Structures are given as structure tokens and as C-alpha cells.
């Protein structure tokens, strides 16, 4: 095959055997051997939380990423296994009572839905404000918030190889139709992109688009090689499969087809960026994880890394410094450190902005320049992505220095602004303008935009 000639690095993988994908959900907690030695109380707590929040973990994560001698403090254990503190006491007690009383499945689901409805699944005006239209029709599964980048949520990619306990997209996984943002409609996506020549980046996201078969992915991406899509320079694919199922890129049946697809897009002049979601260096400790990275890079695709700062998982500078170093060593470009946004389990996971900035800065101090490409800590808020750039004193007042990395109005980008310092604030809406000012510079315009979009 000529692709082997073009890409001599893409040698077939022989030393890794194909592996069956075996996954456990909330109903199979009792079948996971690794947790059967945990205290009975812990197992019960897991069941209670998993009755409300999505739970899904596969054997590879259980057997090869978690250091069971460190449980419950192991970061990957915290990343995927439900913990009591993830539910408010009142919600926990309510569900615990139901399980103890042996309530049936249907009753449990009704209460689970009531609790979930109280947990604000779509922060930052995601649903109302970013719905693009084609020929007067709203396009499901497409979001266009920032001028140059369109987000696409393919319908077949609305799940993941495991679930992260902190994930804000949980509303998509629990099968609530109203909340499901998805699309089977490649044609509509292409129609929209063809009309919007200001768009340079297509970001395919989920869930995890890498749960899709290569054939499905190719249906969306291959047409972009036509000349009418020359303005689409970059194709980004957001994924955590490099952590949760690296076999996807190495030994799965259509793994070679996948790397060939990447290579074809690269050959045709597209920048292909795999946006790898990493939280902790422990996610990149297996041979298969490294092989997956190597194979992706051999296609000419780039891997950029991003992930949120999460209490109990990676809320320390050493973990981030080690992650960034490891990424650079393997040829991955650190891109973003996110601040965790409003989620169902916010209280359990949240880290105050001041602490987030200190962790970021301490981690930066420990690494070389090549690992200092991660921006952050960054909040993906309604008006845009806002970075905490520093904590300082101006005219006797302690302040946060902030800037937009992305703005609903592109003119907001890179403009420094200031908020009163706070030890406890965890999100933009908890911050107040510094220097006695009444509003942040963008607020009136943002309010007007919200009204305009109904
Ligand atoms: C982060 C983000 C993007 C991409 O922004 P970049 O700064 O180009 O990485 C696009 N759309 C949405 C909604 C985002 O949150
Ligand atoms: S992989 Fe991404 S979408 Fe899936 S659960 Fe984790 S954070 Fe959410």
C-alpha cells in the first residue's frame, strides 16, 4: 500500500495483541473483582451515587491505570469511581434510603431524574445561545460560539470508553432526549460549513468521537477534502481514548483504517489535531498508551493535551508538572488547563480560582519552556474562555488579572481586566470587578447578545 511508502513510521503493530473491550456500568458493580475487597460501606456508597450519576468503567482502566494500593486516594480511582461526596447529603440520603428499602428500578429512576434535574446540567448558556441555523432550521449537534471554530457532536459519539466522575456532559449520557445534543446529519454539517467561510476549525467532540467506527468518522471528515471546504484548515478531534482505550488506535479492527484516515487528511493539507483529554500522568504509564501516541504522530497528526484541574485527582503542582513533562517527552503539546465548570458534583471537585492559579504557577516553575505552552487556568464561561493570568496588587487593592482567550466578541480577546481578589471564588460569576467599578467591560454587550438570541 502506498501509505506505507509515504509514512515509513507507520509500521504495523505486531507486539500488541487485540483486546476485547469489556465495560461495567452501575448495574455491574458487583462484578468488578477489584472493588470487592473495599469496605462494604464504600461499595454501598458507590451504588447510591451510581444510581444518580453516570458510571461506566472498562477493564483496562481498572487493571492497568489504577494503583489499587493507593485507593481511595489514587487519582484514576477518583477519576472513574463514584464517591459519596459527589452527591449533596440530602440527595445521597434519599437515594440510600430507596436502595435499602429495596425500591424497584422504576422508582429509583424517577427519583434519580428528580435529583439530576436539580443539578444544572447545561451551564454557560450552552443550549440557548450556540444553536446555529441552516436555511432557517436549527442544526442539532452543531455549536458555533467563536467565529473561527465550529463544534460538532456526532450522534454516534455521545458516549465514552469510561466516564469521568466530574464530567459536565453527564446529561448527554443518561438518555434525556431534551438535553441530548447530537446529530446524524453529516449533510447539514457540511452545508453549514460551506456557507460559513469564516470558520477555519472544525472541532469534533462528544462524549468521545473515538467510540465511533472509523467508517462513521470518515463520513463526516472525508468530504472536507473537497475544494469547497478549503477554508477548513484544522480538524480537531476531542478524545479521552488515549487514556481510556488506547487500543482504539493500535489493535482495534479498524485502527489501521483510522490512522490512514488521519494520514489522508494530513496529506491533503489539513492540520489534524487530536485534542487529548489528560488529567494525570498516571494515564500515560502503559506501553499501549505510548504506542497509540506514536502511531497517531506517525500519521502527521498533532496531539494537544487539555484537561480540567480537579480536586482529589490533580490538585497539586507536582502532578501537573510531571504530566506536562511526560507529554512533551512523547511529542504532545500541552494546550489548556481548565477550571472545572458547574457540574452535578461541583462541591466535591471544585478548586478555588486563587488555588488553581497557584497550582498552575508552581507547576510552570518546575518545567522547561516547551512544557509552558499550557494556558490557564481557564474558565469556559458564557462570554468566553477567561484565563486567570495572575494575582497582584494594583493601587493597594489585591486583584485577579484576567483576560479572554476566546470571546463571544472576538474583540474582547487578550484585553486584560481586573476582578477583586477572592480566596473562595471558583467561577467568573462569583467575581466582582475591581476598583469599585460596577460591571466588567463586556457585561452590557453580553447581556444584549443573550437577549438577541432569545
Ligand atoms: C474552547 C472552545 C473552542 C476552541 O477554542 P480555541 O481557543 O480555539 O481552542 C471552540 N468552541 C467552544 C465552545 C469552546 O469552548
Ligand atoms: S471522556 Fe470527556 S466526555 Fe467522556 S466522561 Fe470524560 S470528560 Fe466527559
Amino acid at each position: 500500500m502506498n501509505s506505507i511508502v509515504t509514512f515509513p513510521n507507520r509500521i504495523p503493530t505486531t507486539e500488541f495483541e487485540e483486546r476485547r473491550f469489556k465495560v461495567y456500568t452501575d448495574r455491574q458493580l458487583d462484578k468488578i473483582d477489584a472493588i470487592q475487597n473495599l469496605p462494604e460501606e464504600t461499595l454501598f456508597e458507590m451504588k447510591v451515587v451510581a444510581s444518580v450519576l453516570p458510571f461506566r468503567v472498562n477493564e483496562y482502566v481498572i487493571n492497568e491505570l489504577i494503583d489499587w494500593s493507593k485507593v481511595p486516594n489514587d487519582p484514576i480511582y477518583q477519576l472513574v469511581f463514584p464517591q459519596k461526596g459527589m452527591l449533596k447529603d440530602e440527595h445521597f440520603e434519599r437515594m440510600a434510603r430507596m436502595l435499602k428499602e429495596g425500591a424497584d428500578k422504576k422508582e429509583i429512576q424517577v427519583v434519580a431524574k428528580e435529583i439530576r434535574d436539580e443539578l444544572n446540567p447545561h451551564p454557560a448558556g450552552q443550549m440557548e445561545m450556540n444553536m446555529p441555523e441552516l436555511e432557517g432550521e436549527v442544526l442539532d449537534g452543531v455549536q458555533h460560539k467563536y467565529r473561527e471554530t465550529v463544534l460538532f457532536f456526532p450522534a454516534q459519539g455521545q458516549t465514552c470508553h469510561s466516564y469521568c466522575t466530574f464530567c459536565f456532559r453527564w446529561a448527554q449520557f443518561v438518555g434525556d432526549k431534551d438535553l441530548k445534543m447530537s446529530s446524524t446529519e453529516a449533510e447539514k454539517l457540511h452545508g453549514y460549513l460551506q456557507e460559513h467561510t469564516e470558520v477555519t476549525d472544525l472541532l469534533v467532540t462528544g462524549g468521545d468521537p473515538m467510540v465511533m467506527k472509523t467508517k462513521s468518522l470518515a463520513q463526516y471528515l472525508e468530504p472536507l477534502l473537497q475544494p469547497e471546504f478549503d477554508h477548513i484548515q484544522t480538524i480537531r478531534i476531542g478524545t479521552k481514548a488515549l487514556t481510556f482505550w488506547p487500543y482504539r488506535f493500535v489493535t482495534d479492527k479498524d485502527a489501521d483504517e483510522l490512522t490512514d484516515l488521519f494520514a489522508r487528511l494530513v496529506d491533503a493539507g489539513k492540520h489534524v489535531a487530536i485534542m487529548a483529554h489528560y488529567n494525570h500522568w498516571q494515564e500515560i504509564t502503559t506501553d499501549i498508551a505510548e504506542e497509540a501516541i506514536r502511531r497517531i504522530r506517525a500519521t502527521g497528526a498533532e496531539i494537544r493535551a487539555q484537561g480540567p484541574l480537579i480536586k482529589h485527582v490533580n490538585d497539586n503542582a507536582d502532578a501537573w508538572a510531571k504530566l506536562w513533562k511526560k507529554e512533551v517527552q512523547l511529542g504532545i503539546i500541552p494546550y489548556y488547563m481548565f477550571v472545572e465548570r458547574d457540574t452535578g458534583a461541583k462541591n466535591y471537585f471544585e478548586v478555588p480560582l486563587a488555588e488553581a492559579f497557584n497550582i498552575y504557577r508552581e507547576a510552570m516553575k518546575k518545567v522547561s519552556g516547551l512544557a509552558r505552552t499550557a494556558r490557564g487556568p481557564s474558565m469556559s464561561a458564557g462570554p468566553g474562555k477567561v484565563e486567570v493570568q495572575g494575582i497582584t496588587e494594583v493601587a493597594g487593592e489585591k486583584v485577579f488579572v484576567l483576560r479572554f482567550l476566546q470571546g463571544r466578541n472576538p474583540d474582547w480577546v487578550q484585553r486584560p481586566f481586573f476582578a477583586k481578589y477572592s480566596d473562595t471564588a471558583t467561577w467568573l460569576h462569583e467575581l466582582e470587578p475591581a476598583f469599585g467599578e460596577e460591571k466588567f467591560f463586556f457585561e452590557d454587550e453580553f447581556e444584549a447578545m443573550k437577549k438577541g438570541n432569545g
Side-chain angles (χ1 to χ4, degrees):
M1 268 173 61
N2 65 4
S3 58
I4 287 171
V5 176
T6 329
F7 291 93
N9 279 338
R10 261 184 309 129
I11 47 170
T13 299
T14 50
E15 64 269 49
F16 294 92
E17 270 180 40
E18 191 178 343
R19 182 153 166 176
R20 196 169 63 97
F21 181 71
K22 171 93 180 89
V23 75
Y24 300 92
T25 66
D26 55 316
R27 284 183 298 277
Q28 293 131 10
L29 275 165
D30 290 332
K31 302 219 168 79
I32 303 176
D33 290 340
I35 59 174
Q36 301 313 318
N37 295 329
L38 297 177
E40 213 163 295
E41 184 72 13
T42 306
L43 276 173
F44 178 70
E45 289 167 2
M46 269 188 198
K47 280 182 195 165
V48 173
V49 177
S51 304
V52 178
L53 301 173
F55 169 73
R56 182 177 159 91
V57 63
N58 74 62
E59 236 168 33
Y60 166 75
V61 176
I62 294 170
N63 294 337
E64 291 179 54
L65 296 188
I66 295 174
D67 180 349
W68 287 94
S69 71
K70 299 221 169 75
V71 166
N73 297 322
D74 180 80
I76 312 301
Y77 173 79
Q78 290 283 332
L79 179 72
V80 294
F81 278 96
Q83 310 296 318
K84 180 167 194 265
M86 291 175 192
L87 289 181
K88 284 188 196 146
D89 286 347
E90 65 199 81
H91 291 155
F92 183 90
E93 294 309 334
R94 192 169 168 205
M95 186 52 82
R97 229 176 302 128
M98 294 198 71
L99 294 195
K100 277 185 186 145
E101 288 164 5
D104 68 30
K105 220 172 113 185
K106 217 165 146 203
E107 290 172 301
I108 289 173
Q109 277 173 358
V110 169
V111 170
K113 184 171 184 318
E114 275 173 31
I115 296 174
R116 282 198 294 264
D117 283 347
E118 289 178 39
L119 297 178
N120 180 31
H122 273 286
Q126 288 265 75
M127 290 302 268
E128 316 88 62
M129 281 191 76
N130 309 316
M131 290 287 198
E133 295 184 3
L134 181 68
E135 288 156 7
E137 237 183 88
V138 171
L139 283 189
D140 289 338
V142 178
Q143 271 185 44
H144 192 181
K145 178 170 174 179
Y146 306 128
R147 187 181 52 197
E148 66 280 5
T149 306
V150 160
L151 260 56
F152 177 55
F153 302 76
Q156 311 94 313
Q158 299 306 305
T159 183
C160 310
H161 293 103
S162 287
Y163 291 154
C164 309
T165 39
F166 57 77
C167 180
F168 69 91
R169 295 183 225 209
W170 57 270
Q172 283 161 254
F173 307 145
V174 290
D176 188 326
K177 277 257 163 47
D178 297 338
L179 294 168
K180 196 152 179 167
M181 298 183 295
S182 64
S183 164
T184 49
E185 294 163 305
E187 274 169 41
K188 286 189 186 168
L189 169 72
H190 296 142
Y192 185 83
L193 291 178
Q194 214 170 324
E195 269 185 19
H196 289 266
T197 50
E198 78 277 17
V199 176
T200 57
D201 288 39
L202 172 66
L203 205 169
V204 185
T205 179
D208 194 324
M210 283 299 128
V211 302
M212 285 195 278
K213 293 273 173 276
T214 303
K215 271 196 182 58
S216 307
L217 191 65
Q219 237 181 344
Y220 296 117
L221 299 185
E222 240 159 23
L224 302 178
L225 295 179
Q226 301 305 314
E228 60 267 33
F229 298 106
D230 277 354
H231 56 289
I232 308 297
Q233 297 166 359
T234 301
I235 297 166
R236 304 192 216 177
I237 301 172
T239 182
K240 204 171 172 69
L242 279 170
T243 296
F244 285 156
W245 190 244
Y247 297 90
R248 177 69 190 90
F249 306 93
V250 185
T251 58
D252 275 9
K253 292 240 161 20
D254 58 352
D256 285 345
E257 224 180 296
L258 180 67
T259 46
D260 277 350
L261 173 65
F262 292 167
R264 269 203 314 285
L265 294 166
V266 171
D267 274 354
K270 303 290 186 195
H271 179 120
V272 177
I274 304 304
M275 310 303 289
H277 171 189
Y278 285 122
N279 305 95
H280 198 278
W281 54 265
Q282 208 169 305
E283 293 165 55
I284 334 179
T285 46
T286 62
D287 291 343
I288 191 76
E290 289 198 16
E291 177 68 3
I293 292 165
R294 192 186 71 74
R295 280 173 59 93
I296 291 170
R297 294 195 65 235
T299 68
E302 296 285 354
I303 307 175
R304 291 174 192 271
Q306 54 188 30
L309 171 58
I310 303 286
K311 196 159 140 192
H312 307 290
V313 174
N314 60 7
D315 56 334
N316 67 86
D318 285 337
W320 280 92
K322 194 163 169 183
L323 172 63
W324 288 336
K325 281 187 203 166
K326 182 122 203 163
E327 286 168 357
V328 169
Q329 182 194 355
L330 296 169
I332 298 174
I333 304 158
Y335 188 47
Y336 270 126
M337 173 200 274
F338 290 123
V339 178
E340 176 57 357
R341 67 203 297 177
D342 274 340
T343 79
K346 186 170 165 61
N347 289 338
Y348 187 77
F349 292 119
E350 71 187 0
V351 178
L353 294 173
E355 193 185 333
F357 175 74
N358 289 329
I359 290 170
Y360 174 84
R361 180 163 176 264
E362 289 308 312
M364 278 279 155
K365 279 162 55 177
K366 294 172 195 282
V367 299
S368 89
L370 289 189
R372 288 183 187 159
T373 50
R375 297 180 300 177
S378 167
M379 294 171 267
S380 291
K385 278 199 174 63
V386 175
E387 181 188 49
V388 180
Q389 281 211 283
I391 296 168
T392 188
E393 235 180 74
V394 178
E397 184 175 338
K398 195 169 180 188
V399 295
F400 285 117
V401 185
L402 307 167
R403 69 166 170 170
F404 280 95
L405 296 170
Q406 271 295 1
R408 227 172 248 282
N409 176 349
D411 191 48
W412 298 345
V413 171
Q414 303 288 348
R415 198 166 135 180
F417 64 106
F418 300 90
K420 266 189 206 157
Y421 176 80
S422 155
D423 272 333
T424 54
T426 58
W427 200 251
L428 185 63
H429 63 66
E430 291 166 25
L431 294 178
E432 288 173 46
F435 317 129
E437 281 167 21
E438 249 170 57
K439 289 177 182 171
F440 292 117
F441 77 91
F442 56 87
E443 276 187 77
D444 284 340
E445 202 182 332
F446 180 54
E447 286 308 314
M449 286 173 176
K450 279 204 276 198
K451 289 205 185 84
N453 279 269

